[in-house]
């Protein structure tokens, strides 16, 4: 792999792209989507392009900060010209919207709204301690809705499910602000409370919706994967340990989605989503997650 290609690939955060596909699969499980043809591939392509475009533009707008804090990143290091990154990010967002419209008009509209959230976050909201976590969570919530839109009528019935990624991603975003210089226990404790709120609501939801207690195995796997790094960061809030907690939180979104699929009774999709975890972990060994 050439160094230039690797630098452009790094901009897109390959490990994170896998988590975006997991969002779509969880949405399909909620909607009880039937895989009767290959049209679902357009939703996969849409989410990958939207996520990639979002993180590319995030690095574009963070250039001045990264010149101080993350000089090894592709844009501040000079490996990817700033203007090229801007064009790449915008083209990816446009492609993401286009692929969604190919699947359905509703999916295209949701992708368009998601793009607005992405641009609002990258340009403005991420600098706000309140709006940053909220808007980032809304991006993930909209991505889950993109998956639910695989069955048009289900969006109106299950749009409220977006609250899970909103809370969970909001928590990760809160602690990610301290991953360079370290932080305080207060932010990590708040994130812990938000994690527990997500897991608790999943268990309650699972009890109400599922007679099969197997969904608890998926929730427990998620808890084990995400909780331990967060507790380590709590006891020693160094930048390195917080970064590891953020990395575990981002990758474990896959397990959050697997739990959601299991709660809605689709254990086959839940297992498929879990199988995305080693792929994301493998990519994370070679490419930065944050």
């Amino acid at each position: 792999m050439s160094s230039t290609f690797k630098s452009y690939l790094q901009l897109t955060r390959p490990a994170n792209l896998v988590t975006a596909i997991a969002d779509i699969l969880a949405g399909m499980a909620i909607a009880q989507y039937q895989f009767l043809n290959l049209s679902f591939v357009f939703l996969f392509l849409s989410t990958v392009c939207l996520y990639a475009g979002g993180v590319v533009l995030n690095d574009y707008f963070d250039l001045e900060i990264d010149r101080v804090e993350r000089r090894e990143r592709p844009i501040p290091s000079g490996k990817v010209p700033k203007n090229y990154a801007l064009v790449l990010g915008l083209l990816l967002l446009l492609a993401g919207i286009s692929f969604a419209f190919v699947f359905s008009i509703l999916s295209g509209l949701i992708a368009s709204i998601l793009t607005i959230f992405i641009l609002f976050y990258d340009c403005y909201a991420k600098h706000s301690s309140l709006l940053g976590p909220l808007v980032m969570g809304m991006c993930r919530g909209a991505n889950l809705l993109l998956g639910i839109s695989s069955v048009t009528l289900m969006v109106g019935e299950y749009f409220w499910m977006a609250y899970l990624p909103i809370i969970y991603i909001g928590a990760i975003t809160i602690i990610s602000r301290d991953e360079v210089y370290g932080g305080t226990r207060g932010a990590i404790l708040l994130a812990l409370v938000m994690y527990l709120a997500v897991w608790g609501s999943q268990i309650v939801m699972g009890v109400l919706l599922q007679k099969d207690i197997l969904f608890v195995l998926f929730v427990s796997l998620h808890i084990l994967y995400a909780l331990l790094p967060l507790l380590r960061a709590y006891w020693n809030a160094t930048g390195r340990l917080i970064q590891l907690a953020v990395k575990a939180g981002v990758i474990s979104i896959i397990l959050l989605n697997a739990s959601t699929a299991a709660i809605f009774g689709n254990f086959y999709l839940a297992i498929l989503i879990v199988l995305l975890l080693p792929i994301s972990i493998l990519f994370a060994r070679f490419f930065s997650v944050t």
Side-chain angles (χ1 to χ4, degrees):
M1 182 185 298
S2 71
S3 59
T4 300
F5 178 73
K6 185 175 181 179
S7 296
Y8 278 93
L9 195 59
Q10 172 58 50
L11 272 179
T12 67
R13 309 287 201 280
N16 305 38
L17 299 182
V18 180
T19 71
I21 294 175
D23 292 343
I24 299 300
L25 288 171
M28 290 175 167
I30 293 171
Q32 302 298 316
Y33 177 75
Q34 302 297 313
F35 293 84
L36 301 178
N37 53 54
L38 294 177
S39 62
F40 65 88
V41 172
F42 289 110
L43 290 182
F44 288 175
L45 292 172
S46 174
T47 192
V48 166
C49 289
L50 290 173
Y51 196 107
V55 292
V56 169
L57 291 178
N58 179 71
D59 281 13
Y60 170 82
F61 286 108
D62 273 355
L63 176 57
E64 296 307 318
I65 296 175
D66 287 344
R67 279 176 173 159
V68 177
E69 298 180 350
R70 303 282 186 90
R71 286 176 290 179
E72 75 282 359
R73 282 182 168 177
I75 301 177
S77 66
K79 295 176 181 176
V80 175
K82 178 181 178 181
N83 291 338
Y84 285 18
L86 175 61
V87 172
L88 175 62
L90 292 175
L91 287 176
L92 283 168
L93 290 181
L94 181 60
I97 294 173
S98 300
F99 283 128
F101 268 114
V102 170
F103 185 85
S104 75
I105 293 177
L106 179 60
S107 297
L109 292 175
I110 292 174
S112 299
I113 294 171
L114 173 52
T115 298
I116 292 172
F117 289 161
I118 290 170
L119 292 173
F120 182 54
Y121 177 82
D122 286 345
C123 297
Y124 177 75
K126 66 182 173 184
H127 302 297
S128 167
S129 58
L130 176 61
L131 284 178
L134 176 61
V135 177
M136 177 60 80
M138 290 169 65
C139 288
R140 279 286 182 169
N143 203 41
L144 181 67
L145 290 179
L146 185 61
I148 297 176
S149 74
S150 58
V151 180
T152 302
L153 295 177
M154 291 299 185
V155 174
E157 185 171 352
Y158 289 112
F159 70 91
W160 53 271
M161 282 296 298
Y163 84 93
L164 285 175
I166 289 176
I167 295 175
Y168 190 74
I169 297 302
I172 296 172
T173 307
I174 287 171
I175 61 173
S176 70
R177 296 173 178 274
D178 298 322
E179 63 179 335
V180 176
Y181 300 114
T184 63
R185 289 182 174 180
I188 299 173
L189 183 60
L190 176 57
L192 175 60
V193 171
M194 294 169 75
Y195 274 25
L196 293 174
V198 169
W199 293 326
S201 65
Q202 281 192 314
I203 291 172
V204 171
M205 194 187 311
V207 171
L208 294 175
L209 293 177
Q210 265 298 322
K211 295 179 181 179
D212 195 331
I213 202 68
L214 281 176
F215 80 88
V216 175
L217 294 177
F218 293 91
V219 177
S220 299
L221 182 60
H222 184 203
I223 292 173
L224 288 174
Y225 194 94
L227 183 59
L228 293 179
L230 190 66
L231 291 178
R232 283 197 218 73
Y234 177 78
W235 292 116
N236 187 11
T238 63
R240 175 58 179 164
L241 288 180
I242 291 175
Q243 187 177 48
L244 290 175
V246 171
K247 179 179 178 180
V250 171
I251 293 176
S252 69
I253 293 168
I254 292 172
L255 299 177
L256 172 69
N257 284 309
S259 301
T260 299
I263 286 168
F264 277 81
N266 197 325
F267 290 98
Y268 292 111
L269 266 188
I271 293 171
L272 177 61
I273 294 171
V274 170
L275 292 177
L276 294 177
L277 184 64
I279 299 174
S280 184
I281 292 173
L282 178 62
F283 282 145
R285 292 183 60 185
F286 300 99
F287 301 97
S288 174
V289 172
T290 62

